[in-house]
């Protein structure tokens, strides 16, 4: 049976990195007879330019009927002055929300070859392997009411709403506990329960669900402390679970622990394992079109796709191993370059992964 992948490269470096990830998938598709077929669509600024909306109906239809979605990145200077409802980010948020991709898995793994690329001391980050689970379809990103209103005194006031219902907290908590069960059985839930009622409820519900998982050690941290602990002693963590906005922020912090945001993949899953796979970084308009972006986060995202949506851990492991081998061969894109290494372009990094796949058979 064929498996359909909706490919949405998006904007900026999105097209460059997705091309490399597709190259890797096409190689494996032929080599392992995976039965994958690719269909392309527009999202973000590219969609706005072509159709006047960052989230065209045909893209939603394509994503809905696909088994998995591969997304590059959205956004860029060109669209920054548009009304917020037409910004490229709305395309990405629309996909997450319409497909109910509520569970965002963001693993932060430090490859030993990149210890020197991290801004933190080697002993703090060496061997790092943590998983951030971010709630992705609720919270302040989607809460109503929202907007900018005019006050009686003539001043404008911006407002957003942080909301979580118990069911939204329960379902992400289950994903987090079950993920921890497959790892080192430690889960830290991050909130701001000392100030925000919504996250006080978050803490209560997570603790309640925790009773069903006595084999997982549950702890709670306030988000400010969690941010500090992530740079002070990140290896104390196994799995972290948190709300949409806190997860956005904490996952960028954890990216830097691994040397570069160009290394971090992600999976955004619905209740049935259908998923959208994307690097956690953005469209990087400052380096777009230069052929210097790191494709590894996107290549590692397709490994997650093979593992989580297509149940092909064997193929996923081949990709992860090939990334390791490529790094062993000392090829580096600019973001992970250090002295003595060979600085390569985006496509050459993709080629290095494919050569490693060929050698690894
Ligand atoms: C991310 C990004 C997005 C987010 C942006 C591009 C809307 O920062 O996936 O982390 O805030 O979720
Ligand atoms: Mg982010």
């Amino acid at each position: 049976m064929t498996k359909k992948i909706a490919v949405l490269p998006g904007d900026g470096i999105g097209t460059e990195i997705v091309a490399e990830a597709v190259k890797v998938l096409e190689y494996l598709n032929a080599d392992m007879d995976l039965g994958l077929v690719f269909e392309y669509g527009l999202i973000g600024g590219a969609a706005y330019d072509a159709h006047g909306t960052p989230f065209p109906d045909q893209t939603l239809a394509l994503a809905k009927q696909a088994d998995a979605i591969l997304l590059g990145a959205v956004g860029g200077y060109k669209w920054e002055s548009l009304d917020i409802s037409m910004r490229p980010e709305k395309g990405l948020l629309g996909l997450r929300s319409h497909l109910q991709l509520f569970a965002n898995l963001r693993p932060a793994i430090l490859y030993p070859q990149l210890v020197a690329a991290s801004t933190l001391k080697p002993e703090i980050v060496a061997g790092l392997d943590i998983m951030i689970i971010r709630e992705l379809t609720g919270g302040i990103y989607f809460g109503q009411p929202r907007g900018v209103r005019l006050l009686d005194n003539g001043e404008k006031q911006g407002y957003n709403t942080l909301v979580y219902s118990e069911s939204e907290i329960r379902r992400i908590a289950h994903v987090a506990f079950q993920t921890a069960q497959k790892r080192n059985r430690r889960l830290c839930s991050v909130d701001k329960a000392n100030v925000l009622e919504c996250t006080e409820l978050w803490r209560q519900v997570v603790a309640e669900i925790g009773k069903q998982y006595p084999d997982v050690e549950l702890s709670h941290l306030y988000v400010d402390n969690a941010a500090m602990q992530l740079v002070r002693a990140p290896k104390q963590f196994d799995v972290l679970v948190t709300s949409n906005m806190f997860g956005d922020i904490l996952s960028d912090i954890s990216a830097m622990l691994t040397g570069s945001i160009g290394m971090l993949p992600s999976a955004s899953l619905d209740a049935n394992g259908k998923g959208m796979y994307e690097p956690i970084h953005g469209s990087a308009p400052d380096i777009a079109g230069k052929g210097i972006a790191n494709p590894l986060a996107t290549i590692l995202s397709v490994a997650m796709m093979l593992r989580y949506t297509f149940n092909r851990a064997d193929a996923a492991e081949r990709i992860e191993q090939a990334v390791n081998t490529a790094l062993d061969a000392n090829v580096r894109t600019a973001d992970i370059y250090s002295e003595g290494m060979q600085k390569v372009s985006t496509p050459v990094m993709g080629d290095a992964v494919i050569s490693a796949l060929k050698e690894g058979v």
Side-chain angles (χ1 to χ4, degrees):
M1 236 187 50
T2 59
K3 302 172 181 96
K4 266 191 218 156
I5 301 178
V7 183
L8 310 175
D11 309 318
I13 61 168
T15 49
E16 301 165 50
I17 54 178
V18 163
E20 299 314 306
V22 169
K23 213 159 87 178
V24 167
L25 266 185
E26 273 173 344
Y27 172 77
L28 275 187
N29 198 21
D31 195 50
M32 301 178 82
D33 208 7
L34 297 174
L36 307 176
V37 292
F38 303 89
E39 284 182 51
Y40 284 77
L42 294 173
I43 189 84
Y48 178 82
D49 288 349
H51 301 293
T53 164
F55 188 36
D57 291 343
Q58 55 265 52
T59 301
L60 177 60
L62 176 74
K64 273 192 172 157
Q65 49 93 17
D67 298 297
I69 301 146
L70 172 62
L71 188 132
V74 295
Y77 309 130
K78 190 177 165 191
W79 304 284
E80 269 170 14
S81 55
L82 290 175
D83 183 76
I84 198 163
S85 63
M86 283 296 150
R87 297 234 188 103
E89 289 76 8
K90 281 288 173 201
L92 176 59
L93 297 173
L95 271 178
R96 289 174 178 172
S97 157
H98 277 82
L99 299 178
Q100 277 297 297
L101 304 170
F102 69 91
N104 185 214
L105 274 47
R106 298 191 159 188
I109 294 171
L110 177 65
Y111 282 81
Q113 301 92 328
L114 299 184
V115 171
S118 176
T119 46
L120 273 82
K121 292 191 198 112
E123 61 271 27
I124 302 293
V125 290
L128 182 84
D129 179 354
I130 62 178
M131 174 73 92
I132 296 191
I133 298 188
R134 168 186 178 194
E135 199 292 326
L136 203 60
T137 52
I140 200 165
Y141 268 53
F142 293 97
Q144 296 287 350
R146 61 192 297 155
V148 178
R149 57 193 161 208
L150 196 58
L151 298 179
D152 289 344
N153 67 4
E155 197 187 8
K156 281 187 194 158
Q157 186 183 56
Y159 57 102
N160 287 89
T161 308
L162 173 62
V163 275
Y164 271 113
S165 57
E166 288 178 290
S167 56
E168 286 177 299
I169 305 169
R170 272 193 219 112
R171 67 180 180 177
I172 193 72
H174 280 294
V175 172
F177 280 107
Q178 286 163 20
T179 305
Q181 279 183 324
K182 292 188 205 122
R183 294 174 45 106
N184 293 321
R185 296 170 188 274
R186 282 182 294 115
L187 176 64
C188 178
S189 171
V190 177
D191 58 44
K192 190 72 185 175
N194 51 343
V195 178
L196 305 172
E197 290 83 349
C198 179
T199 73
E200 191 181 18
L201 179 69
W202 175 283
R203 186 177 284 222
Q204 285 162 6
V205 173
V206 171
E208 190 60 36
I209 298 293
K211 292 182 189 155
Q212 297 173 40
Y213 299 91
D215 54 331
V216 176
E217 185 194 313
L218 173 66
S219 60
H220 304 270
L221 280 183
Y222 298 139
V223 64
D224 48 350
N225 189 11
M228 182 178 76
Q229 296 301 332
L230 269 173
V231 289
R232 192 188 72 86
K235 284 186 273 181
Q236 70 185 284
F237 296 113
D238 178 21
V239 180
L240 292 124
V241 64
T242 191
S243 61
N244 205 342
M245 187 162 75
F246 294 163
D248 180 44
I249 299 166
L250 296 181
S251 59
D252 267 31
I253 297 183
S254 55
M256 269 330 285
L257 306 174
T258 72
S260 167
I261 197 162
M263 293 299 298
L264 257 67
S266 81
S268 307
L269 306 173
D270 74 2
N272 306 311
K274 174 170 173 167
M276 178 157 81
Y277 298 84
E278 51 173 321
I280 83 151
H281 60 70
S283 57
D286 53 327
I287 60 162
K290 295 187 178 161
I292 60 171
N294 185 349
L296 293 180
T298 318
I299 291 172
L300 290 166
S301 298
V302 300
M304 292 186 87
M305 176 191 291
L306 291 166
R307 175 173 288 118
Y308 290 104
T309 294
F310 298 130
N311 292 314
R312 291 297 302 250
D314 55 339
E317 276 159 25
R318 278 189 69 187
I319 295 181
E320 287 154 1
Q321 187 48 46
V323 167
N324 219 350
T325 307
L327 293 173
D328 277 340
N330 293 343
V331 288
R332 302 282 189 273
T333 43
D335 58 313
I336 49 174
Y337 175 78
S338 58
E339 200 148 334
M341 299 292 122
Q342 186 194 342
K343 199 184 273 184
V344 300
S345 66
T346 311
V348 172
M349 188 54 116
D351 292 343
V353 174
I354 292 178
S355 309
L357 280 171
K358 288 182 182 160
E359 282 160 26
V361 186

